[in-house]
Amino acid sequence: MRYCLSLLAIILFTACSSASHPTSSPEDNPKEQESQPKTNITGKLKITVGSKSATASFEQNSSSEAFVAKLKANPVTVNMTDYGNFEKVGSLGFTLPRNDKPITTSAGDIILYNGSQITIYYDNNSYSLTKLAHMDNMTKAQVKEFLGEGNVTVTFSYLNQ
């Protein structure tokens, strides 16, 4: 009987110490690695409104990666309108993969909405969205001046740097 109790104690001790010290990490599990895609987007997003141009730095996600692939083939021109006193929005004419997560936007954020709309924020908004890029070195006032009043035509293109 003592032998059985000792054996049971050893088994329980081993099981408890194994549970509190996992032997593998997400890096060791290829399935977990696959669920977190690795991107390495280089280059810049060029944004042109009329005769004015600005650049933006891409986010590292599959949405931006798909957008870059489209832009490498051809620039994308979008007719954009003001919405809600905080953004310009327009249809891309195609769909990109979504990586929506709750965020608070800031002036200069380039956002994918519903997979097929692109927005340029000139003020803040909180919602579940996919960030594609952020305009480089521009204040809120500069972004608003760059975009202008009313409807605008914006051309997005890829700059290889």
Side-chain angles (χ1 to χ4, degrees):
M1 182 72 170
R2 259 188 193 179
Y3 175 75
C4 289
L5 287 175
S6 296
L7 185 58
L8 182 60
I10 291 170
I11 291 170
L12 286 173
F13 177 76
T14 304
C16 288
S17 61
S18 294
S20 64
H21 300 291
T23 57
S24 67
S25 66
E27 293 82 23
D28 297 330
N29 188 341
K31 284 190 178 185
E32 283 191 44
Q33 279 184 334
E34 289 171 17
S35 68
Q36 300 172 359
K38 304 278 190 229
T39 58
N40 187 23
I41 302 168
T42 58
K44 295 278 185 172
L45 175 62
K46 181 179 178 185
I47 306 151
T48 306
V49 177
S51 62
K52 301 176 284 185
S53 291
T55 60
S57 298
F58 287 104
E59 288 291 305
Q60 299 295 319
N61 61 43
S62 62
S63 305
S64 295
E65 197 170 46
F67 193 39
V68 166
K70 290 275 191 184
L71 296 174
K72 282 182 175 180
N74 291 300
V76 174
T77 300
V78 178
N79 294 317
M80 302 184 85
T81 59
D82 281 302
Y83 178 81
N85 256 352
F86 53 81
E87 70 182 346
K88 298 274 189 191
V89 62
S91 175
L92 284 169
F94 53 85
T95 301
L96 295 173
R98 295 167 62 173
N99 286 283
D100 292 349
K101 63 182 177 181
I103 62 171
T104 297
T105 63
S106 61
D109 282 347
I110 317 292
I111 301 289
L112 177 67
Y113 176 69
N114 279 343
S116 63
Q117 304 284 314
I118 192 164
T119 61
I120 302 175
Y121 279 80
Y122 52 85
D123 210 335
N124 301 337
N125 183 34
S126 295
Y127 202 65
S128 187
L129 302 163
T130 299
K131 189 171 179 180
L132 295 173
H134 183 81
M135 295 175 77
D136 298 325
N137 306 312
M138 292 184 80
T139 66
K140 180 177 176 177
Q142 290 170 324
V143 171
K144 198 161 186 172
E145 182 182 330
F146 175 76
L147 294 172
E149 297 291 324
N151 298 348
V152 293
T153 300
V154 179
T155 299
F156 299 94
S157 53
Y158 177 76
L159 289 176
N160 190 13
Q161 295 185 329

